[in-house]
């Protein structure tokens, strides 16, 4: 019960998860996969996400993180949505408790909207609805609007033991090892890290850096002390304090100024091997948007299931 309360109280923090790494897939995926069975799918999902984002500013970053978490654990199969009666599932893992309920609610609302169309009912996988919702969360926050490949099937398994995440203390080598396990490159990782332009993290994920990490701008450290007084871990700070609700390139500009909230963020600028990409995105938002969209497409191909090892769930929370 305590873990459930923590889930409901936790704020958005982008952080991936590890099993044996899921393989890249995607041969079956296509943007027009549902053109014949659910032609209005994308507009239905976008309208639902728009309503969720209007209701809560947390919905956009929470949905985006949910997609990353899903793909990074067992592949993009909506296993993160599953609820097991015995409590052994991904979202109730020690790392999963940082997921915000607004992300789950956004996907469930979009699923209900899709199924309210008789032509679409039980035809669209939860995994694809999550992929579309993540794209729309980015776009509705000011980010790029990109094509989403569709045709994923939903997984039937979700376990707490499958969840191991790269934490906010990771350095560049640790980040690269994790993303390499997903079939993604350092360039992909740096572009995807730009998702930290929206959302927030609780003090427990960065408080140890305040006043102790020379890479942190002193004025920024003073600002964070106000958010996390003393040893308290109950507060939070925005991952991008400049424009916390807008998807833009300010995240990278913050890194150049020593204003990265997480150590894993600031590591991208501290390490010479990744600094050039940070400088490029800080100077060129269009380049960031293009590379982010491409990296999200590649992420969306990780561990895709087929009709042989998956299904189209009638309820995203339970296997059929």
């Amino acid at each position: 019960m305590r873990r459930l309360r923590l889930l409901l109280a936790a704020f958005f923090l982008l952080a991936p998860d590890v099993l044996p790494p899921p393989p890249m897939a995607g041969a079956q995926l296509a943007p027009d996969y549902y053109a014949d069975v659910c032609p209005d799918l994308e507009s239905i999902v976008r309208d639902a996400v728009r309503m969720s984002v209007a209701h809560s500013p947390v919905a956009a970053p929470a949905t985006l993180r949910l997609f990353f978490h899903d793909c990074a654990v067992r592949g993009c199969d909506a296993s993160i949505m599953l609820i097991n009666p015995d409590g052994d599932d991904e979202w109730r893992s020690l790392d999963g408790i940082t997921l915000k309920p607004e992300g789950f609610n956004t996907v469930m609302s979009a699923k209900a909207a899709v199924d309210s169309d008789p032509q679409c009912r039980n035809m669209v996988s939860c995994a694809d609805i999550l992929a579309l919702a993540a794209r729309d969360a980015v776009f509705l926050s000011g980010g790029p609007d990109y094509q989403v490949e569709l045709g994923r099937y939903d997984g039937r398994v979700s376990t707490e033991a499958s969840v191991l995440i790269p934490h906010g203390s990771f350095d560049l080598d640790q980040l690269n090892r994790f993303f390499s396990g997903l079939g993604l490159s350092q360039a992909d990782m740096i572009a995807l890290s730009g998702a930290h332009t929206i959302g927030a993290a609780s003090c427990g994920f960065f408080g140890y850096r305040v006043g102790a990490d020379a890479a942190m701008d002193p004025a920024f450290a003073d600002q964070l002390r106000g958010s996390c007084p003393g040893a308290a871990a109950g507060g939070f700070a925005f991952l991008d304090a400049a424009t916390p609700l807008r998807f833009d390139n300010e995240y990278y500009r913050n890194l150049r100024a020593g204003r990265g909230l997480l150590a894993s963020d600031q590591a991208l600028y501290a390490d010479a091997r990744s600094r050039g990409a940070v400088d490029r995105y800080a100077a060129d938002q269009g380049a960031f948007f293009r590379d982010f969209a491409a990296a999200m497409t590649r992420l969306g191909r990780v561990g895709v299931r087929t009709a042989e090892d998956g299904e189209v769930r009638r309820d995203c929370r339970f296997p059929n």
Side-chain angles (χ1 to χ4, degrees):
M1 191 65 188
R2 177 177 178 271
R3 193 173 293 171
L4 180 58
R5 289 196 298 269
L6 285 171
L7 170 66
L8 297 175
F11 216 90
F12 170 82
L13 173 67
L14 182 64
D17 301 53
V18 166
L19 255 185
M24 292 290 283
Q28 75 202 50
L29 302 181
D32 62 351
Y33 185 85
Y34 296 103
D36 294 332
V37 298
C38 186
D40 297 326
L41 172 63
E42 295 208 29
S43 62
I44 294 172
V45 173
R46 178 159 292 182
D47 286 346
V49 175
R50 181 179 285 110
M51 291 179 64
S52 293
V53 171
H55 179 72
S56 170
V58 180
T63 304
L64 179 54
R65 192 218 164 183
L66 195 64
F67 175 69
F68 182 81
H69 181 116
D70 183 54
C71 292
V73 179
R74 306 187 69 93
C76 307
D77 67 350
S79 59
I80 186 58
M81 302 292 296
L82 288 173
I83 298 174
N84 289 331
D86 61 2
D88 182 16
D89 43 43
E90 293 174 28
W91 69 269
R92 281 181 284 197
S93 69
L94 289 175
D95 290 314
I97 61 172
T98 60
L99 294 167
K100 287 291 289 179
E102 285 85 349
F104 294 95
N105 293 341
T106 297
V107 177
M108 294 299 292
S109 295
K111 165 70 169 169
V114 170
D115 284 349
S116 69
D117 184 330
Q119 191 173 358
C120 304
R121 185 171 299 132
N122 297 327
M123 299 298 294
V124 183
S125 69
C126 298
D128 279 341
I129 291 174
L130 174 53
L132 287 169
R135 185 273 310 273
D136 292 340
V138 168
F139 173 68
L140 294 169
S141 299
D145 191 8
Y146 54 91
Q147 274 195 332
V148 175
E149 296 176 338
L150 302 169
R152 301 166 187 82
Y153 280 75
D154 298 322
R156 301 185 180 96
V157 177
S158 178
T159 64
E160 182 175 350
S162 66
V163 181
L164 301 169
I165 69 173
H167 295 136
S169 59
F170 271 25
D171 61 21
L172 185 66
D173 289 328
Q174 291 170 306
L175 290 169
N176 280 336
R177 279 195 296 272
F178 176 78
F179 280 83
S180 176
L182 299 178
L184 300 174
S185 67
Q186 175 176 290
D188 292 326
M189 179 271 292
I190 297 170
L192 290 171
S193 294
H196 281 184
T197 186
I198 54 176
S202 62
C203 296
F205 290 99
F206 63 84
Y208 69 95
R209 298 185 62 218
V210 179
D213 190 339
M216 182 177 287
D217 171 57
F220 185 50
D222 287 341
Q223 177 183 329
L224 293 177
R225 287 190 184 95
S227 301
C228 305
F236 72 89
F238 291 112
L239 291 160
D240 168 9
T243 55
L245 301 180
R246 184 164 183 81
F247 196 99
D248 55 24
N249 66 336
E250 284 294 329
Y251 165 80
Y252 299 101
R253 296 182 180 182
N254 291 338
L255 299 186
R256 293 203 299 184
R259 299 174 70 86
L261 187 64
L262 305 178
S264 57
D265 291 330
Q266 198 59 50
L268 301 183
Y269 195 70
D271 196 306
R273 294 172 293 171
S274 49
R275 188 180 302 142
V278 172
D279 284 332
R280 176 169 172 257
Y281 292 153
D284 187 345
Q285 180 168 277
F288 163 48
F289 280 9
R290 288 189 295 274
D291 289 354
F292 178 83
M296 284 288 281
T297 299
R298 285 188 283 273
L299 174 64
R301 297 170 181 164
V302 174
V304 171
R305 303 195 183 279
T306 67
E308 294 181 357
D309 62 350
E311 63 187 12
V312 176
R313 275 182 231 142
R314 291 185 291 272
D315 186 326
C316 292
R317 300 168 298 175
F318 308 103
N320 291 344

